[in-house]
């Protein structure tokens, strides 16, 4: 479900929590998309990254099943679930079995707010990016692609904090 045509994708890079305090502006977007183990609930980061989350893209780690990353009513998109069955399955086994959270994992997968990207979409983007073999697009790139190609989204899709691999600090 789309909450509106204006989309902001917030990355986990260090620039998201340096410079201007954009939290209030971020929260004005119709859709605010975050990733994996994002932090917005602690450490006073709300001034920089806001508090709103309407979509949570998660690789396969089932981050949204952990309290510190769970956002009530947010759509959860398992971005690589259909591309990495073995890895995704192992996370389900670890979270459900080793963490003794099997009922919670089953409930998570039955939740109508939990979905995943189709393998064809992932493969199309892999091809466009020239990725070969086991390489795959990041959750951030998959989210940007999803919203840029969505017919009801108003371009541009705004991105913030996408310098994750440019230093040792993440927020």
């Amino acid at each position: 479900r789309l909450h509106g045509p204006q989309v902001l994708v917030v990355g986990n890079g260090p620039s998201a929590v340096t410079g201007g305090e954009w939290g209030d502006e971020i929260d004005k977007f119709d859709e605010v998309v975050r990733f994996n183990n994002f932090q917005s609930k602690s450490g006073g980061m709300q001034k920089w990254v806001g508090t709103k989350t309407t979509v949570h893209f998660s690789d396969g780690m089932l981050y949204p099943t952990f309290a510190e990353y769970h956002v009530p009513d947010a759509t959860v998109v398992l971005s690589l679930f259909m591309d990495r069955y073995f890895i995704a399955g192992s996370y389900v086994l670890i979270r459900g079995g080793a963490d003794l959270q099997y009922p919670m994992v089953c409930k998570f997968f039955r939740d109508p707010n939990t979905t995943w990207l189709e393998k064809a979409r992932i493969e199309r983007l892999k091809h466009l990016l020239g990725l070969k073999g086991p390489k795959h697009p990041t959750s951030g790139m998959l989210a940007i692609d999803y919203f840029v190609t969505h017919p009801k989204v108003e371009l541009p899709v705004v991105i913030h904090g996408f310098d994750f691999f440019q230093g040792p600090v993440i927020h």
Side-chain angles (χ1 to χ4, degrees):
R1 92 191 143 184
L2 191 64
H3 292 92
Q6 295 181 324
V7 177
L8 174 80
V9 183
V10 182
N12 294 334
S15 67
V17 293
T18 58
E21 296 177 357
W22 296 104
D24 290 338
E25 293 301 313
I26 287 170
D27 288 345
K28 290 178 184 175
F29 279 79
D30 300 319
E31 294 285 355
V32 179
V33 184
R34 299 183 192 271
F35 301 92
N36 298 327
N37 57 339
F38 71 89
Q39 296 291 311
S40 66
K41 299 178 184 180
S42 63
M45 290 185 264
Q46 299 89 337
K47 294 184 285 187
W48 288 275
V49 296
T51 59
K52 185 176 183 178
T53 302
T54 59
V55 181
H56 183 173
F57 266 72
S58 183
D59 49 20
M61 289 289 293
L62 304 185
Y63 285 113
T65 65
F66 294 91
E68 60 267 34
Y69 308 119
H70 176 73
V71 178
D73 298 320
T75 298
V76 174
V77 180
L78 300 176
S79 58
L80 293 172
F81 194 76
M82 298 306 285
D83 190 51
R84 300 280 181 253
Y85 293 123
F86 178 76
I87 294 170
S90 68
Y91 293 138
V92 170
L93 290 174
I94 290 169
R95 188 73 174 123
D99 291 348
L100 303 176
Q101 295 292 327
Y102 184 74
M104 183 270 306
V105 168
C106 290
K107 182 180 176 188
F108 173 72
F109 279 104
R110 286 192 304 265
D111 187 324
N113 285 330
T114 301
T115 188
W116 44 81
L117 293 180
E118 309 84 29
K119 186 163 179 65
R121 176 181 284 278
I122 298 167
E123 290 299 322
R124 180 190 60 78
L125 188 56
K126 283 170 73 170
H127 176 75
L128 286 172
L129 296 172
L131 300 175
K132 306 275 187 224
K135 293 183 179 181
H136 57 80
T138 64
S139 295
M141 189 64 210
L142 287 162
I144 292 167
D145 177 68
Y146 177 83
F147 285 103
V148 164
T149 59
H150 194 292
K152 294 182 179 177
V153 167
E154 180 181 295
L155 297 179
V157 169
V158 178
I159 63 172
H160 176 59
F162 270 82
D163 56 344
F164 181 80
F165 297 109
Q166 306 222 350
V169 178
I170 62 171
H171 84 279

